[in-house]
Amino acid sequence: AQKITQTQPGMFVQEKEAVTLDCTYDTSDQSYGLFWYKQPSSGEMIFLIYQGSYDEQNATEGRYSLNFQKARKSANLVISASQLGDSAMYFCAMRPSNAGGTSYGKLTFGQGTILTVHP
Amino acid sequence: EAQVTQNPRYLITVTGKKLTVTCSQNMNHEYMSWYRQDPGLGLRQIYYSMNVEVTDKGDVPEGYKVSRKEKRNFPLILESPSPNQTSLYFCASSLSPTGGGEQYFGPGTRLTVT
């Protein structure tokens, strides 16, 4: 079984500063993928970034980077130079990368972190 | 434009009145799934489908049915809705169920059962 834990129900950051959203996970799968999604108040789910468990380098996408520490089973999202439009709910998710098993294809989500960016 | 569409976007209904939420994708994706989102619980998978006529239960399938008669469509059926099914529902699709393939989400359907 897979489990994602996001321990920060809410985070506040000043505009233009960096912020780290925490995500820890638990899985028995050897190969898996980690995702971050953004959900603004309008409700849609926006894909931000992906990290494969065997990727040697941390993923980056523009202002987003994923601080992947496999031994600690953490996959924190770092947003640099926060903008007002970054205010949203953020979800960490994972899914196995190998075929077979009851979790095949399923994205398991954390509870989410609400980020508020202050001007 | 690649997209997943859901209808309706908003629905208020009464207990016991059967309803269907439609989901359609135009990307020829094999893998489709339904999630429900509830405060404090994140998104939980209801059902998924690997391909046409291949469906299976997710984590919270009770009270729901699905079908996959065509590759592009994956409707969610609530035979006898109850108030505990009041939630925000998302349909999602991806080319592959594994790897880094992005799951494309529909816009969501906000369902209220009174």
Side-chain angles (χ1 to χ4, degrees):
Chain A
Q2 302 175 99
K3 185 176 181 181
I4 295 280
T5 302
Q6 295 179 253
T7 57
Q8 307 155 314
M11 287 286 286
F12 295 89
V13 66
Q14 207 72 26
E15 193 178 10
K16 299 180 184 177
E17 293 187 348
V19 62
T20 297
L21 306 183
D22 294 341
C23 172
T24 57
Y25 61 90
D26 192 18
T27 181
S28 56
D29 294 294
Q30 295 300 309
S31 179
Y32 48 88
L34 294 154
F35 302 76
W36 277 92
Y37 285 85
K38 172 184 178 182
Q39 186 180 43
S41 58
S42 52
E44 72 267 32
M45 296 291 287
I46 302 169
F47 167 76
L48 295 178
I49 196 167
Y50 165 81
Q51 176 86 42
S53 59
Y54 286 104
D55 292 343
E56 295 190 351
Q57 291 198 329
N58 287 341
T60 61
E61 288 287 347
R63 294 187 299 110
Y64 304 107
S65 61
L66 201 152
N67 184 1
F68 180 47
Q69 298 187 45
K70 193 172 183 177
R72 300 180 64 179
K73 293 189 174 180
S74 73
N76 299 338
L77 178 70
V78 180
I79 304 175
S80 63
S82 297
Q83 302 172 356
L84 296 178
D86 293 334
S87 293
M89 174 80 87
Y90 288 81
F91 289 102
C92 179
M94 73 178 299
R95 72 180 177 194
S97 298
N98 293 325
T102 58
S103 298
Y104 185 51
K106 180 176 73 175
L107 267 177
T108 298
F109 286 83
Q111 309 94 314
T113 296
I114 299 175
L115 175 66
T116 303
V117 181
H118 289 302
Chain B
E1 179 190 356
Q3 61 181 352
V4 178
T5 57
Q6 290 178 233
N7 282 293
R9 295 288 311 279
Y10 303 90
L11 179 60
I12 300 174
T13 189
V14 296
T15 299
K17 185 177 181 181
K18 180 180 179 180
L19 66 92
T20 299
V21 183
T22 63
C23 172
S24 183
Q25 49 94 3
N26 63 0
M27 296 166 280
N28 203 36
H29 285 170
E30 292 188 349
Y31 186 83
M32 297 185 74
S33 58
W34 278 101
Y35 296 87
R36 62 177 288 174
Q37 181 181 359
D38 301 291
L41 297 176
L43 280 76
R44 294 175 294 167
Q45 191 181 54
I46 303 170
Y47 268 94
Y48 65 94
S49 171
M50 298 288 191
N51 212 325
V52 175
E53 302 292 4
V54 182
T55 64
D56 208 346
K57 298 176 181 178
D59 292 325
V60 288
E62 294 78 19
Y64 305 95
K65 288 175 58 177
V66 293
S67 68
R68 187 93 181 270
K69 299 189 188 312
E70 304 168 281
K71 199 170 188 178
R72 63 183 292 126
N73 296 324
F74 190 45
L76 180 70
I77 304 156
L78 285 72
E79 294 271 3
S80 183
S82 62
N84 64 11
Q85 293 178 297
T86 292
S87 188
L88 177 60
Y89 292 86
F90 287 100
C91 179
S93 76
S94 62
L95 184 61
S96 166
T98 62
E102 179 184 345
Q103 282 218 17
Y104 291 79
F105 282 83
T109 295
R110 192 168 291 279
L111 173 65
T112 301
V113 183
T114 61

